[in-house]
Every structure is written in structure tokens, then in C-alpha cells.
Amino acid sequence: MNYTKYPPADDLKTRWVRLQELLSEEGSDACLISSSVNIYYLTGMVFNGFFYLQATGNPIYFVRRPEDLQHPYALSIRKAEDIPDLLLKNNSGVPGSVLLEADQMTYSEHVRLQALFPDAKIGNATPLLRKQRMIKTSWEIEQLKYSGKIHAKVYSGIRDCYHPGMSDVELQSNVERAMRLAGSIGLFRSFGSNMDIYMGSMLAGDNAEVPSPFDFALGGAGIHPSLPIGSNGSVLKEGTSLMVDMAGNYTAYTTDMTRVFSIGKLPAKAYYAHQVSIDMHNRLISETKPGTSCASIYNYTLQMAADAGLSDYFMGTRQQAKFVGHGVGIEINELPVFMGRSVDLLQPGMTFAFEPKFVLPGVGALGIENTYLVTDTGIEKITNFEENILEL
Amino acid sequence: MNYTKYPPADDLKTRWVRLQELLSEEGSDACLISSSVNIYYLTGMVFNGFFYLQATGNPIYFVRRPEDLQHPYALSIRKAEDIPDLLLKNNSGVPGSVLLEADQMTYSEHVRLQALFPDAKIGNATPLLRKQRMIKTSWEIEQLKYSGKIHAKVYSGIRDCYHPGMSDVELQSNVERAMRLAGSIGLFRSFGSNMDIYMGSMLAGDNAEVPSPFDFALGGAGIHPSLPIGSNGSVLKEGTSLMVDMAGNYTAYTTDMTRVFSIGKLPAKAYYAHQVSIDMHNRLISETKPGTSCASIYNYTLQMAADAGLSDYFMGTRQQAKFVGHGVGIEINELPVFMGRSVDLLQPGMTFAFEPKFVLPGVGALGIENTYLVTDTGIEKITNFEENILEL
């Protein structure tokens, strides 16, 4: 399978053209981008500096570091305040309106950049880029498919990482090593300030009930109060489940996949709940096509959970997540979000994770998560791996 | 050694009293804190919500999630906009001036919080908290000493993780697993938007020369352009060095320690440069006491590098870092910073990393880094481990 680390020039250009269309629709002259995630999206690399794009013409890469970066569009700067003069020298002119990433940079950084354009109307670039990044280019889709392939390969090795008497953290440490050897970048990026996490999550038994402060589907106590999420040192116990939700960060684009393992046999109710999740995925696959609303998907999963008598266990117990899926890409949590009040409709090129999960007290978490691509006619599963509960 | 995961109540109270002193000096009525790092610092836990403290009286924990958090000071909220009414009901009153974390929250978040206090003067809490966190409480110092102890223990196992023919990433994967089994939390926190990293850094041979966009001492290409830092898949080669700088995140407080391993023997110049770094540490230990200026330390290391004929290799080659040390604590990069233009003077209770490093083309990175505590009479080394180059 073809896997290249750098996007082809035309794939990048497609993104610039699309961004320029959105700038024009917005009535903005330009955008000045500085977040790592959007610089990566717009250039295929990460540098310390700014990506500047006007409604027409080529971008400028204003680069602080690395100091010796060579690129046809790169101009070296020492600080942001160098930019206005360079724009004049470059015959770009000073923009009448500029978009900045107001939902990503700090207040102080934003105030500082506003001062570069004292007479300009300042707008918010973040929603524009989040909206654009919903529709993946063909290279981006290849990246996700590659990540999905390796993701499944690593999961197929999880049983080999296990021996009886292990704790969740010990198993996770072995799996993390396997992920790194398979090419996991380690870091995976998330949007927003309430998303502290590390490599993923393994929830054993009742640790799956413990609510976390972060905006993930489920929680877990974690091993330290300074990072209250995920595995907590529980020894894996006979008759309980282990929900494995580790990152698919084998390229810059991360797939999201959850599978359930069991230590010995589980009560019948567990297999029943797990099957209800699989049924939800089957319905998703058979019914979803371009135009399907995210809210309708959320609503029917809620209804299916109720029909199965499992409402009290759906997406948690003590604290129940109010979404059942989310876009994925360079960040683990992109648009659209699958919530009751979503207004988004699915379109070809969107990639999303669907994660209807249950938690049964005394047993643990159940259900599966897959990453899907929306095609012209339906959806395609990107994370392909055995979906039934696997005994460790 | 005593290691407790939660700070004692009186240790937390000490921090609140100190913050109230700083608020009064600043002439502010209150601060509203929402970053994970400062909520952890001020409460010993992480929740989604806000920590509110006025110049006198007890704090209020305004908690969104987890929804069922029980605490004497906790008030449940659904959104930030619930806060003003609760302050009135609580007889706290509306503050005339409030500090918000302008260098940590996004522009949009800040604007939203300003709207809660439309008549108040709004100031910046970030520098206040960064300044306060420079001086560690006794419990915080215990945490760092514990991290330092485990940090050294893990480093003592590095040779066992190695076999000839390995790449830097393979070795790092084994060491990361060892770190996790020893209690590494995984995530380690950093201040600022230009600090993407994962678990630490292993720089093999000439990969140490590759500049990174981030604000760390050295760089490395990384394994993927979306995270250009650290190990890059190089096979470890005879006659080159491997610089190991992995996190000491065994509590919420991370120690910072760097050691150098070699594959076989290195050229004489390498041992020479490494010794110059050790000499700098020896000078630091013999001369530093409360009142010593960070700038003077930076300046004499620059001078010692020049006297040794190694200026071109000090803190990098293609890109040379302009600092030689930094505070450590809950974040890897706290105050003070050891730069030429620093105005900070060292005080008892400060904890910092000192990392004079060299990179020799064709060989790799050399030198050591330790974490030190400033005492009433001098400094105490917290990261104790063999300092000479160790052959793998």
C-alpha cells in the first residue's frame, strides 16, 4: 500500500484553493495561521511561525524556526512584528480583514497579532479551518487507510502482550511498545483545552464507570490524580471486560478503533450489550449515505439503546457522554460531532469514528468503535478487525 | 521514601495564602483559574471547571465535570455563565478586578469569561501563577525527589533494553515501556504553544544536529514530519553517541535528566566535550547559592564553552539554543529561564534543570543535564546517576 510521508504538491494546492474559496465566501482578505495542526494541514510540515494566505495568490510561510528551513514560499522572520513590512516588500499589501485562530491561540498571542494589523477587521479562522478539514483530500484518505491498516495489525498482537495476573497498565505498556515499534508517532493531537490524554485508553472492569473531567466517551481513574483518565493499575480479573481504545497515530492522521477483550467468560448480558453496539454499526453501514444527518444517527442509537433496555448503561453510567461519534483526521476530535443537536449532514470525503459503548457495573465496558469514510454512495469501514469480544 | 499522591491540606493552604498575598500586591480582588496545570497546582486534582479565589477567604471550585465530584469547596455548574449568580448567592460578591490566565486560555475563552464580569478590570493571572510556582512547597519538593529517584532507577536499566543493530526508536520503545512499568504518567505538561513532544528524546549521532521548530535545547528529525523532534529511526552506529533525555514524570512533578551512552568508543574530542559539561555542573554546584543570578550562570557557561574551543558546538550546531537551564515542576519548562538577558535571581525552593550540551558532527550530542533544588546555602542534586559516558 502506498504510504508517503509528505503530501503531493497538488494535494496541498487543492487545500489552498479551497481555503481561498472559504475566505472569499467569508468576505475576508487573508488568514494568518500559527497552530501546529493547521500549519501541518496547510504545508505538510510543522514549523514555528505563520502561514499566510490571501484570497488570491500563493501562500507565504513566515518561518521563525527551524532557522535554516529552505522552501520556495518561506520568508525568515525573528518575530511576528516583522510580518507587515515583509508583506509590503512582497507587494502583498496590508489586508483590510484578517482571520486569526481565535479558538486555538492564547488571548495574549491574539492581541499581539491584532496589533500587526491595527486597521483591519479581525475574524476567526478556527471554524473555517475546522469546517474545511472535515472533507479529506485523496492523500489524506490514503493516510487514514494506512493508519487503519497498522492499527488493526497492532490490535491483532494484543493477546500476545498478555499474561494472567497482569494489570491494565502492564498490558498497556506492552501494547504501547508494540505501537511504537509499528510506527506510532506517540503524540496524537486533539482540539480544545479539555482533552488531556496519552496514547489511548484501556478500561478494565469497573474502572470504566469512573467519570473523567475530559471530553472523551468514557473515563477511568488513571494512575495519578494529575491525569484522571484511563487505566488505573487494576489487575485484570476473571469475568470482566477490558475495553481497548488505543490511538491509530501511525501517520499524522489518526484512526480511532475500540475493541473489547475478556478475561475468561462474561455474563450473558455483556455479550448482549456488545451485540447491540454491533447492531448499531450494522444499521449505520446499511443506512448511511451522503446527506444523512449526524443528529439522526445519534437519535436512533439512543432509541436502540432504550429498546434494548440499556439506556442506563449507554455511553457510561455515573456520567453519560452526549455524543456517539466524531470526525477524525489530524486531530482525534474533528467535525462533525454526532449529538442530538447537531445540524451537520454527512458528505463524501468525511471521515468519522462511531463509538456506541455500554458500561455494565461489575463487568466493564462493551461495544466497538470503528472509523468510517463517507463515499459517494455510502460509507466504507477503515478499521477492519474482528469485532466480537475476544478472550485474552 | 514517602510518596503520597495527594498534597496535604496544609500544603495546599500554603499555596492559597501565597496566591492571596500576590493578588493583594497586584491590587486584584480575585482570580478565576481554568487551566489543567493551575487547577492541579491549586487543588491537587484535575477537574473541568474553574478555581476561584478572592484576596481573602476560602476558594470555590466551580466544577463542570466530573459531574459527581464531591468536595467541601465544590459548587456544580453547567457552564461558566452560572458563576456570577453563584458568587452572589455565596455572599462573595462580584469582584471589581479579576485575573484570568491570558497566556493559557484561547482568545475566545477569555472573551467569554470577561463577559461574566462586565464592569471589572481584567488582568493576567498567568505570570502571577508562574512566578508563585517557582518556589516549591515541601510536599512539591518531595514529589520531585521521588520522581528523581525513579528517573535514575529507569536509566540504570537502559543498557538492558539495548542490543546491537537496534535503531534509536526501538531502544526508545523499550525504555518507554520500562518508564510506564515504573509509574510514568505518560503525559508531561509544558508551557506555551511551541512545545510538542512525546515522552522525551533520544538523539543518535548526527540526528542531534537536526534543528527542530520547538523550544527545546536540541532537536532531531523525529519519525514523521508532523512531529519533527527526537529519534528518527537511525540504527545506532559504532563510534557515535546516544543522548537520552526522557521524562521523569513519575509524579505530577517531572525531573529532567540527560545522560550520554556510546556505541563502542568515541573520539577523544567527545570525552573532552562531555567533561566540559560536567565541569560546568561542578562549577554550578560549588558556586550557586540564593541570590546567584541566572544570567551569570548562562554567561559563564558560554565563556567556558569558548575557553574550551567549543563555541560552535554549544547547545547545537545549525541552530543553537539561547538558554542553558530552566525551572521544572508540574511543567517541564517553568521559571526561571537561564538566558543571557534573565533578570531572575535564584531563591531557596526553586527547582531547575541545568543542561549544558554539545553536539559534535560525526559523533553526536554530549553533556549531561541534572535537576537541582536551591537550598538555603547552595544547591542539591535531585537526579543522581552515573555521569560519565556509558558504553551500551
Side-chain angles (χ1 to χ4, degrees):
Chain A
M1 167 174 224
N2 202 22
Y3 166 50
T4 51
K5 286 187 178 177
Y6 289 91
D10 62 343
D11 197 281
L12 276 182
K13 202 169 164 64
T14 299
R15 304 179 211 177
W16 301 342
V17 167
R18 179 64 189 140
L19 180 54
Q20 285 171 322
E21 284 169 6
L22 292 174
L23 284 175
S24 300
E25 275 173 31
E26 191 88 351
S28 281
D29 293 337
C31 61
L32 187 69
I33 302 300
S34 51
S35 68
S36 289
V37 63
N38 284 331
I39 283 189
Y40 177 73
Y41 174 70
L42 292 164
T43 69
M45 55 182 172
V46 172
F47 59 83
N48 177 305
F50 306 86
F51 173 93
Y52 182 77
L53 188 68
Q54 291 183 288
T56 53
N58 285 325
I60 303 174
Y61 300 6
F62 291 111
V63 182
R64 273 190 67 241
R65 291 176 55 140
E67 290 165 9
D68 58 6
L69 191 146
Q70 297 299 319
H71 190 281
Y73 297 145
L75 290 178
S76 187
I77 58 168
R78 296 206 55 196
K79 52 195 195 314
E81 288 69 19
D82 297 341
I83 292 175
D85 275 353
L86 287 169
L87 286 178
L88 289 170
K89 283 203 189 94
N90 200 52
N91 287 332
S92 300
V94 175
S97 53
V98 185
L99 300 185
L100 304 174
E101 295 160 301
D103 301 322
Q104 288 157 285
M105 73 176 67
T106 69
Y107 180 78
S108 299
E109 288 167 343
H110 193 280
V111 166
R112 183 177 176 180
L113 293 185
Q114 280 174 262
L116 303 184
F117 309 104
D119 305 315
K121 178 167 172 295
I122 305 292
N124 189 355
T126 302
L128 210 86
L129 263 305
R130 297 253 303 152
K131 175 178 162 176
Q132 170 165 346
R133 280 171 35 211
M134 275 200 295
I135 312 291
K136 272 58 181 181
T137 64
S138 45
W139 182 81
E140 293 184 295
I141 290 168
E142 267 178 45
Q143 298 292 296
L144 277 155
K145 287 186 173 180
Y146 179 85
S147 285
K149 206 170 115 156
I150 307 301
H151 205 164
K153 191 149 175 268
V154 168
Y155 275 28
S156 72
I158 287 177
R159 268 189 283 202
D160 295 334
C161 292
Y162 171 75
H163 62 74
M166 277 190 130
S167 71
D168 52 3
V169 173
E170 287 176 289
L171 179 55
Q172 187 167 340
S173 305
N174 287 348
V175 175
E176 288 169 358
R177 176 176 171 271
M179 288 169 67
R180 294 281 274 149
L181 293 173
S184 163
I185 291 169
L187 184 80
F188 69 90
R189 301 180 185 281
S190 58
F191 177 75
S193 53
N194 197 36
M195 299 289 286
D196 293 346
I197 196 170
Y198 171 79
M199 279 296 247
S201 158
M202 284 201 189
L203 297 177
D206 283 338
N207 190 36
E209 284 206 89
V210 178
S212 135
F214 310 119
D215 292 333
F216 298 103
L218 294 179
I223 61 170
H224 195 276
S226 65
L227 189 60
I229 184 102
S231 52
N232 69 341
S234 309
V235 173
L236 300 170
K237 256 173 52 187
E238 189 77 17
T240 64
S241 70
L242 176 73
M243 174 166 276
V244 174
D245 186 2
M246 302 301 290
N249 52 355
Y250 299 98
T251 67
Y253 293 80
T254 183
T255 38
D256 207 352
M257 174 168 58
T258 301
R259 292 295 186 267
V260 172
F261 294 80
S262 70
I263 299 84
K265 297 276 175 244
L266 303 180
K269 195 172 184 183
Y271 298 99
Y272 170 66
H274 192 81
Q275 186 58 46
V276 172
S277 172
I278 291 177
D279 292 346
M280 291 172 176
H281 281 263
N282 290 338
R283 181 169 177 179
L284 183 88
I285 292 165
S286 78
E287 294 186 6
T288 309
K289 51 191 199 292
T292 301
S293 92
C294 299
S296 70
I297 292 170
Y298 177 78
N299 288 329
Y300 72 58
T301 61
L302 217 56
Q303 189 58 54
M304 288 173 77
D307 293 345
L310 296 172
S311 295
D312 288 348
Y313 313 106
F314 187 51
M315 305 306 290
T317 52
R318 289 161 57 180
Q319 184 172 279
Q320 296 185 306
K322 298 287 177 270
F323 67 93
V324 77
H326 56 87
V328 293
I330 304 168
E331 290 171 320
I332 192 68
N333 55 336
E334 300 201 348
L335 296 176
V337 185
F338 294 61
M339 303 176 75
R341 59 174 198 263
S342 276
V343 298
D344 290 309
L345 305 180
L346 292 172
Q347 302 170 51
M350 285 185 173
T351 50
F352 66 90
F354 180 60
E355 53 176 323
K357 295 170 169 170
F358 296 95
V359 180
L360 296 184
V363 181
L366 300 144
I368 63 168
E369 172 179 29
N370 281 319
T371 297
Y372 297 93
L373 164 69
V374 183
T375 66
D376 290 328
T377 51
I379 61 175
E380 182 188 330
K381 191 185 299 180
I382 294 183
T383 48
N384 291 286
F385 183 66
E386 167 61 48
E387 296 186 348
N388 286 321
I389 296 173
L390 293 152
E391 201 172 325
L392 276 173
Chain B
M1 167 175 222
N2 203 22
Y3 166 51
T4 51
K5 286 187 177 178
Y6 290 91
D10 61 344
D11 197 282
L12 276 183
K13 204 171 163 63
T14 300
R15 304 179 212 177
W16 301 342
V17 168
R18 180 65 187 138
L19 180 53
Q20 286 171 322
E21 285 169 7
L22 292 174
L23 283 175
S24 299
E25 278 174 31
E26 192 85 353
S28 281
D29 293 336
C31 61
L32 187 69
I33 302 299
S34 51
S35 68
S36 289
V37 63
N38 285 329
I39 284 189
Y40 177 74
Y41 174 71
L42 293 164
T43 68
M45 54 181 171
V46 173
F47 58 84
N48 177 304
F50 305 86
F51 173 93
Y52 182 77
L53 188 68
Q54 290 183 289
T56 54
N58 285 326
I60 303 173
Y61 300 5
F62 290 112
V63 181
R64 274 192 64 241
R65 291 173 57 135
E67 290 165 10
D68 58 3
L69 192 147
Q70 297 300 319
H71 191 280
Y73 298 144
L75 290 179
S76 186
I77 58 168
R78 295 208 53 196
K79 51 196 196 309
E81 288 70 19
D82 297 341
I83 292 175
D85 275 354
L86 287 168
L87 286 178
L88 288 171
K89 284 208 188 89
N90 201 52
N91 286 330
S92 300
V94 175
S97 53
V98 186
L99 301 185
L100 305 174
E101 294 160 303
D103 301 322
Q104 287 157 283
M105 72 177 67
T106 69
Y107 179 80
S108 298
E109 288 166 345
H110 193 280
V111 166
R112 182 177 176 181
L113 292 184
Q114 281 174 261
L116 302 184
F117 309 103
D119 303 316
K121 178 168 173 295
I122 305 293
N124 190 354
T126 302
L128 210 85
L129 262 307
R130 298 253 302 153
K131 175 178 164 177
Q132 170 167 345
R133 280 172 35 211
M134 273 201 293
I135 312 291
K136 273 56 181 180
T137 64
S138 44
W139 182 81
E140 294 185 294
I141 289 167
E142 267 179 45
Q143 298 292 297
L144 276 155
K145 287 185 173 181
Y146 179 85
S147 286
K149 207 171 116 159
I150 307 302
H151 206 163
K153 190 149 176 268
V154 168
Y155 275 28
S156 71
I158 287 176
R159 268 188 283 200
D160 295 332
C161 291
Y162 172 75
H163 61 75
M166 277 190 130
S167 71
D168 52 2
V169 173
E170 287 177 288
L171 178 56
Q172 188 168 340
S173 305
N174 287 347
V175 174
E176 286 169 0
R177 176 176 171 271
M179 288 169 68
R180 295 283 272 149
L181 293 173
S184 163
I185 292 169
L187 184 77
F188 69 90
R189 301 180 185 281
S190 58
F191 177 75
S193 52
N194 197 37
M195 301 287 288
D196 294 346
I197 197 169
Y198 171 76
M199 278 297 245
S201 157
M202 285 202 189
L203 297 176
D206 283 339
N207 190 35
E209 284 206 272
V210 178
S212 135
F214 309 120
D215 292 333
F216 299 103
L218 294 179
I223 61 170
H224 195 277
S226 65
L227 188 60
I229 185 103
S231 52
N232 69 341
S234 309
V235 173
L236 300 170
K237 254 173 55 191
E238 190 76 17
T240 65
S241 71
L242 176 72
M243 175 167 275
V244 174
D245 186 3
M246 302 300 291
N249 51 355
Y250 299 98
T251 68
Y253 293 81
T254 181
T255 40
D256 207 350
M257 174 167 59
T258 301
R259 293 294 185 267
V260 172
F261 295 80
S262 70
I263 299 82
K265 298 278 174 244
L266 304 181
K269 193 170 184 182
Y271 298 100
Y272 170 67
H274 191 80
Q275 187 57 45
V276 172
S277 172
I278 290 177
D279 291 347
M280 291 171 176
H281 281 263
N282 290 338
R283 180 169 180 179
L284 183 87
I285 291 165
S286 79
E287 293 185 7
T288 308
K289 51 191 199 295
T292 301
S293 90
C294 298
S296 69
I297 293 169
Y298 176 77
N299 289 328
Y300 73 57
T301 59
L302 217 56
Q303 189 59 53
M304 288 172 77
D307 293 344
L310 296 172
S311 293
D312 288 348
Y313 312 107
F314 187 52
M315 305 307 288
T317 52
R318 289 162 57 183
Q319 184 172 278
Q320 296 184 307
K322 298 288 175 274
F323 67 92
V324 77
H326 55 87
V328 293
I330 304 169
E331 289 170 321
I332 192 70
N333 57 335
E334 299 199 351
L335 297 176
V337 185
F338 293 63
M339 302 177 74
R341 60 173 197 263
S342 276
V343 297
D344 289 309
L345 306 179
L346 290 173
Q347 302 170 51
M350 284 184 174
T351 50
F352 65 90
F354 180 61
E355 53 175 326
K357 295 170 170 170
F358 296 95
V359 181
L360 296 185
V363 180
L366 299 143
I368 62 168
E369 171 179 31
N370 282 320
T371 296
Y372 297 94
L373 163 69
V374 183
T375 66
D376 288 330
T377 52
I379 60 174
E380 182 188 330
K381 190 185 300 179
I382 295 182
T383 48
N384 292 284
F385 183 68
E386 167 61 50
E387 297 186 346
N388 288 321
I389 296 173
L390 293 152
E391 202 173 323
L392 275 172

